[in-house]
Amino acid sequence: MSIDNRKAQPPIAARGVIARTHMYMEQTYPKYKMSKQQSQLMQVWDKQDPVSKWECKRSKRIENLQGNANTVVDSRCKSVGL
């Protein structure tokens, strides 16, 4: 984490995972809503930090345990052939 003028920023390498988590939460839980500005930021972070093999593998493991898929991560994994 970096903090500059009282604004916290996560590391660049973590932003995609954070973005996809927020996108999943919004998609899965109707009471969770991001503002338009938050949604735009998450979309940018998602594109800047694409899914990794590890993230795709982790998502499948969680799906096997929970019984439901993270469709946000799964769609990204399919689009890059993972």
Side-chain angles (χ1 to χ4, degrees), residues 31-61:
K31 289 185 178 184
Y32 180 80
K33 281 288 183 197
M34 291 187 281
S35 69
K36 183 177 179 180
Q37 185 179 10
Q38 287 173 313
S39 183
Q40 289 173 337
L41 179 62
M42 295 304 118
Q43 289 175 24
V44 169
W45 284 3
D46 177 39
K47 287 183 174 113
Q48 287 177 342
D49 182 25
V51 293
S52 64
K53 288 181 184 180
W54 172 86
E55 190 177 357
C56 294
K57 191 176 203 176
R58 177 180 178 269
S59 179
K60 287 298 176 192
R61 287 180 178 175

